[in-house]
Amino acid sequence: MEHPTSEYAAADITVLEGLEAVRKRPSMYIGSTGPRGLHHLVYEIVDNSVDEAMAGRCSLIDIHLLPDGAVRVTDDGRGIPVDEHPTLRKSALEVVLTVLHAGGKFDNKSYAVSGGLHGVGVSVVNALSSRLVAEVRRDGRIYRQSYQRGVPDGPVEIIGDGDDTGTTITFWADDTVFETLDYSWEILTTRFRETAFLTAGLRITVTDERRVDDTGAFVHTEYHYEGGLRDFVTHINASKEPLHPGIIHFDAAGMLDGGPMEVELALQWNNSFHESIHTFANTINTHEGGTHEEGFKKALTNVVNRYARDLGVLKGGGKDKDITLTGEDIREGLTAIVSVKLSDPQFEGQTKTKLGNTPVRSFVEKTCNEKLREWFDEHPNEIRAVVHKAIQGARARLAARAARDLTRRKGLLESTALPGKLADCQSNDPYECEIFIVEGDSAGGSSKMARQRATQAVLPIRGKILNVEKARLGKILENKEIQALITAIGTGIGEDFDLTKARYHKIVMLMDADVDGAHIRTLVLTFLFRHMRDLIDAGYVYIAQPPLYQIEPAGTRGKDKIRYAFSDRERDEILADLSGNGDVGKRPRISRFKGLGEMDAEQLAVTTMEPRNRTLLQVTMEDAATADLMFTTLMGDDVEARRDFIVRNARDVRFLDV
């Protein structure tokens, strides 16, 4: 792609609107004031640096998480302009930091493509920070300006001389705005690794100055992938057995509506039964797909079907001549990354999760038709392997059709059609309805007595359900526990899935806080991720948090004095608190719950099921590619990869947002 002109000055900064409402309604601009919104602030700053990298002007982004809660992002780009803006008569740096949607990305001169076009920009980060300091290195000088809650402390200052160029932004998120100021190393590094894959050659370093490693040094990691998307596919397929050697990779450039456009793809089939397609537009994860994904899928289906006919296995002859390969058959076991870059992306919604540019579909389809045919012509053994696997998938699909028909939900389903062990709720309003998935009859009995019958349903499942990571749909639908899950949830499965038919908007996993409970929870999560992923995207899936300990203070009576601890650390904190306020010489009574079956209905209701008291962890999916890799590693056939994963992460065990 042709890089834009190297001139980048105050005249290139286009002002669209003011910044007045940001602090009043922060969720309108960053989605939430919880952890997701907090991390979004970091993404906005880093994405500006990534835009410089896509413009060919930045090779390094350095991120530091500081002990005082600040985040510092430094790049070696051109540096934000500091000269006077031609219409606002103030430094362009101050304009960028104080005016919403002010930047160099709206006229296609300074940036041919940008991931921040529909973002909220550094100005919103400034508005939602108690303090922000910007340092710019350009024109042989170092410039600095500081702010408090979006208001400059003074004009831009020259603080020194220097030969290099770039920008450093340090900000402290405002604790009066955000519910938490605790940045997650896992969430941030997952995002930055993905960014490095999508921007070949860019080096991203991350340092956590809040923690030290075994050597006493700050925790640090670095991402740099010269192979770009090819390395991305290799990463996702790390625990899978490839169907063919080598990764199919190609790219093409052209013009779209007067602006430059580029498409790049990398793909490889493996021996799994699940497709793993991840799409991006200007490095933004479009996890809802869009026109680029549609064009790719259509071309792939056409090309593979053509080769299947040419090989004489479809309609032209052979034992499978009556089979027609669908896109689903062909994509079984496929890992693919589709990345497009264009000057005027049209995203559906502020969250930028679906690309809407109609011409992109035909451009991607045309490119894939040509490039895939070229690659398969040169690799006849590989296309034979792909066709053979697709035919196996088609056979399995046809065999599973009857079983899937049993899971289809008609209307709201009469109570007689629901699983016999389901204790359903009285309400028919999915918005207020919850279903608790519990392990075993004992826990199921307690949960049924503890629930609020109007809005809470309970479905006990027996033992460990089928590991769907290793099975096709036909075998999955033969499992009675999975049948019960599908029927109770009501959405159907696979091609019949319909989110609007969900009977509950809270699907809560309530399992014992032990190894077996964690395994069962992971099995259920794997099933939901592979076959009902839209439930996770919609925010319907939760994990309940039953307590580990019951603590009765010494010398007191009454249930209102009982306290519950959900971790060893919380237990110790409660005991320390009681030791300072309790009767001298008397110890509190501590009971350890070994499982839900040991809790009576009242205890379970008060601690875990009562909405006013309970804590639920919402299962979210910031990065589908990382979730895909994690489920494959934990639930797949590669024992060595699973062992390495557990050893590597044992010290940091916690509930992750999947």
Side-chain angles (χ1 to χ4, degrees):
M1 179 174 289
E2 189 173 316
H3 293 311
T5 176
S6 61
E7 286 80 14
Y8 178 36
D12 297 313
I13 303 301
T14 306
V15 179
L16 298 187
E17 58 181 281
L19 191 62
E20 295 82 4
V22 178
R23 288 187 61 83
K24 184 177 292 186
R25 296 182 179 88
S27 294
M28 288 181 58
Y29 298 89
I30 58 171
S32 79
T33 55
R36 183 172 295 186
L38 179 73
H39 291 86
H40 190 90
L41 298 186
V42 187
Y43 303 156
E44 285 293 339
I45 302 298
V46 173
D47 284 350
N48 282 344
S49 300
V50 173
D51 290 338
E52 281 283 278
M54 289 195 294
R57 304 294 175 179
C58 170
S59 61
L60 172 67
I61 303 173
D62 182 50
I63 300 128
H64 282 249
L65 307 178
L66 303 179
D68 62 355
V71 177
R72 184 175 69 232
V73 179
T74 301
D75 67 45
D76 62 354
R78 289 170 289 182
I80 299 174
V82 295
D83 50 325
E84 185 178 272
H85 192 276
T87 58
L88 295 184
R89 301 302 178 189
K90 63 176 68 172
S91 169
L93 175 62
E94 185 173 331
V95 173
V96 167
L97 285 164
T98 57
V99 180
L100 185 64
H101 289 314
K105 305 169 185 176
F106 302 101
D107 58 9
N108 295 336
K109 294 179 181 178
S110 303
Y111 294 94
V113 297
S114 165
L117 181 61
H118 281 207
V120 295
V122 66
S123 57
V124 167
V125 179
N126 192 14
L128 299 179
S129 298
S130 58
R131 185 168 177 242
L132 183 145
V133 178
E135 291 187 5
V136 174
R137 305 176 303 284
R138 61 180 288 156
D139 307 323
R141 299 287 182 88
I142 303 174
Y143 303 87
R144 184 181 187 275
Q145 189 173 33
S146 62
Y147 295 79
Q148 296 187 47
R149 293 181 169 85
V151 178
D153 292 325
V156 177
E157 302 175 298
I158 298 175
I159 62 171
D161 299 325
D163 296 329
D164 61 336
T165 62
T167 302
T168 298
I169 300 289
T170 307
F171 70 92
W172 292 257
D174 194 338
D175 61 1
T176 66
V177 173
F178 293 95
E179 301 161 19
T180 176
L181 300 182
D182 184 19
Y183 295 98
S184 165
W185 173 264
E186 292 86 359
I187 291 175
L188 290 176
T189 54
T190 294
R191 165 75 178 246
F192 300 146
R193 179 176 56 222
E194 185 178 90
T195 300
F197 278 131
L198 292 163
T199 317
L202 173 64
R203 189 179 305 274
I204 300 178
T205 60
V206 193
T207 304
D208 190 345
E209 297 188 16
R210 305 167 304 176
R211 300 184 298 154
V212 295
D213 59 22
D214 293 336
T215 68
F218 291 132
V219 175
H220 176 85
T221 192
E222 179 175 312
Y223 303 114
H224 177 240
Y225 304 105
E226 290 294 342
L229 299 193
R230 282 168 288 199
D231 290 344
F232 201 169
V233 170
T234 300
H235 173 72
I236 296 173
N237 279 351
S239 298
K240 302 169 184 175
E241 182 181 338
L243 187 66
H244 54 87
I247 292 171
I248 306 170
H249 174 265
F250 53 85
D251 56 31
M255 298 296 290
L256 180 72
D257 296 333
M261 176 178 172
E262 184 180 278
V263 59
E264 182 182 5
L265 285 98
L267 57 151
Q268 183 184 47
W269 277 266
N270 57 71
N271 66 343
S272 75
F273 304 128
H274 313 286
E275 69 177 75
S276 182
I277 298 176
H278 308 283
T279 62
F280 301 86
N282 292 2
T283 74
I284 294 167
N285 190 333
T286 47
H287 69 84
E288 287 187 272
T291 51
H292 49 344
E293 181 174 326
E294 293 165 7
F296 165 66
K297 286 182 174 180
K298 185 176 180 182
L300 183 69
T301 302
N302 290 338
V303 170
V304 175
N305 265 299
R306 196 199 80 170
Y307 278 97
R309 288 191 296 270
D310 291 347
L311 293 170
V313 294
L314 294 182
K315 292 192 175 180
K319 65 179 181 179
D320 295 309
K321 63 181 180 179
D322 294 327
I323 289 179
T324 299
L325 297 179
T326 67
E328 182 182 7
D329 301 330
I330 292 167
R331 296 192 302 272
E332 181 182 276
L334 174 67
T335 295
I337 310 294
V338 182
S339 175
V340 296
K341 295 176 181 178
L342 60 161
S343 58
D344 187 22
Q346 297 168 13
F347 297 105
E348 295 185 7
Q350 175 67 19
T351 54
K352 301 178 294 191
T353 58
K354 189 172 185 179
L355 186 67
N357 299 70
T358 302
V360 170
R361 184 188 297 109
S362 57
F363 181 79
V364 172
E365 182 182 352
K366 180 175 180 293
T367 299
C368 291
N369 271 321
E370 295 174 357
K371 300 292 186 178
L372 284 171
R373 282 201 298 266
E374 289 177 9
W375 197 89
F376 286 138
D377 282 342
E378 296 171 2
H379 300 81
N381 292 333
E382 281 80 351
I383 185 57
R384 286 182 179 275
V386 169
V387 170
H388 179 66
K389 181 170 179 60
I391 290 174
Q392 289 180 323
R395 292 175 188 157
R397 170 176 53 84
L398 295 172
R401 179 172 293 170
R404 186 169 58 239
D405 288 344
L406 296 177
T407 70
R408 285 179 177 158
R409 183 172 180 269
K410 299 177 181 179
L412 290 175
L413 282 179
E414 297 81 4
S415 59
T416 55
L418 294 171
K421 53 188 175 182
L422 171 69
D424 205 5
C425 54
Q426 297 165 347
S427 173
N428 289 323
D429 181 359
Y431 180 78
E432 66 178 8
C433 291
E434 309 173 349
I435 183 170
F436 288 83
I437 301 169
V438 302
E439 58 169 304
D441 294 334
S442 177
S446 297
S447 303
K448 288 177 182 179
M449 289 188 289
R451 70 191 176 108
Q452 298 179 4
R453 294 175 180 270
T455 58
Q456 293 181 332
V458 173
L459 177 66
I461 57 175
R462 184 173 302 170
K464 296 175 180 177
I465 69 170
L466 179 72
N467 181 1
V468 302
E469 191 69 25
K470 302 178 182 180
R472 279 193 172 100
L473 187 58
K475 185 173 179 61
I476 291 168
L477 294 177
E478 293 174 0
N479 185 274
K480 293 188 181 301
E481 303 304 316
I482 290 181
Q483 287 178 9
L485 279 171
I486 296 170
T487 308
I489 292 171
T491 56
I493 189 174
E495 64 188 33
D496 300 318
F497 183 90
D498 185 349
L499 183 65
T500 65
K501 293 181 179 179
R503 302 180 67 247
Y504 315 92
H505 282 192
K506 278 191 174 66
I507 300 165
V508 186
M509 277 161 282
L510 177 55
M511 283 86 183
D512 289 343
D514 58 15
V515 174
D516 283 340
H519 189 195
I520 294 171
R521 180 169 52 247
T522 304
L523 287 167
V524 176
L525 273 173
T526 304
F527 167 67
L528 295 177
F529 175 76
R530 291 300 185 192
H531 297 283
M532 293 181 163
R533 191 181 300 187
D534 285 354
L535 290 173
I536 298 175
D537 288 335
Y540 291 177
V541 181
Y542 295 82
I543 298 173
Q545 297 291 279
L548 293 177
Y549 300 97
Q550 175 181 283
I551 303 172
E552 295 183 67
T556 61
R557 292 186 178 182
K559 294 179 180 178
D560 58 321
K561 302 295 184 181
I562 294 176
R563 299 171 69 174
Y564 295 93
F566 294 82
S567 66
D568 289 349
R569 184 177 68 178
E570 190 173 355
R571 175 203 60 193
D572 295 340
E573 290 174 351
I574 292 174
L575 292 176
D577 179 58
L578 293 177
S579 67
N581 300 303
D583 294 341
V584 178
K586 294 183 179 180
R587 294 184 177 181
R589 290 188 294 275
I590 305 173
S591 302
R592 171 71 156 89
F593 296 116
K594 295 181 180 178
L596 298 175
E598 292 190 358
M599 301 177 69
D600 61 38
E602 186 174 359
Q603 290 171 326
L604 192 57
V606 168
T607 63
T608 313
M609 299 183 74
E610 165 58 54
R612 292 174 298 180
N613 301 332
R614 71 189 181 190
T615 299
L616 296 180
L617 295 180
Q618 187 178 44
V619 178
T620 62
M621 190 166 55
E622 295 289 343
D623 180 5
T626 298
D628 186 295
L629 176 62
M630 185 180 71
F631 280 117
T632 302
T633 302
L634 290 176
M635 310 307 292
D637 291 320
D638 193 333
V639 177
E640 188 68 20
R642 179 161 55 250
R643 185 190 68 81
D644 290 345
F645 178 89
I646 292 171
V647 170
R648 190 170 62 251
N649 293 281
R651 296 178 57 187
D652 298 314
V653 170
R654 67 179 71 185
F655 284 108
L656 298 178
D657 283 338
V658 178

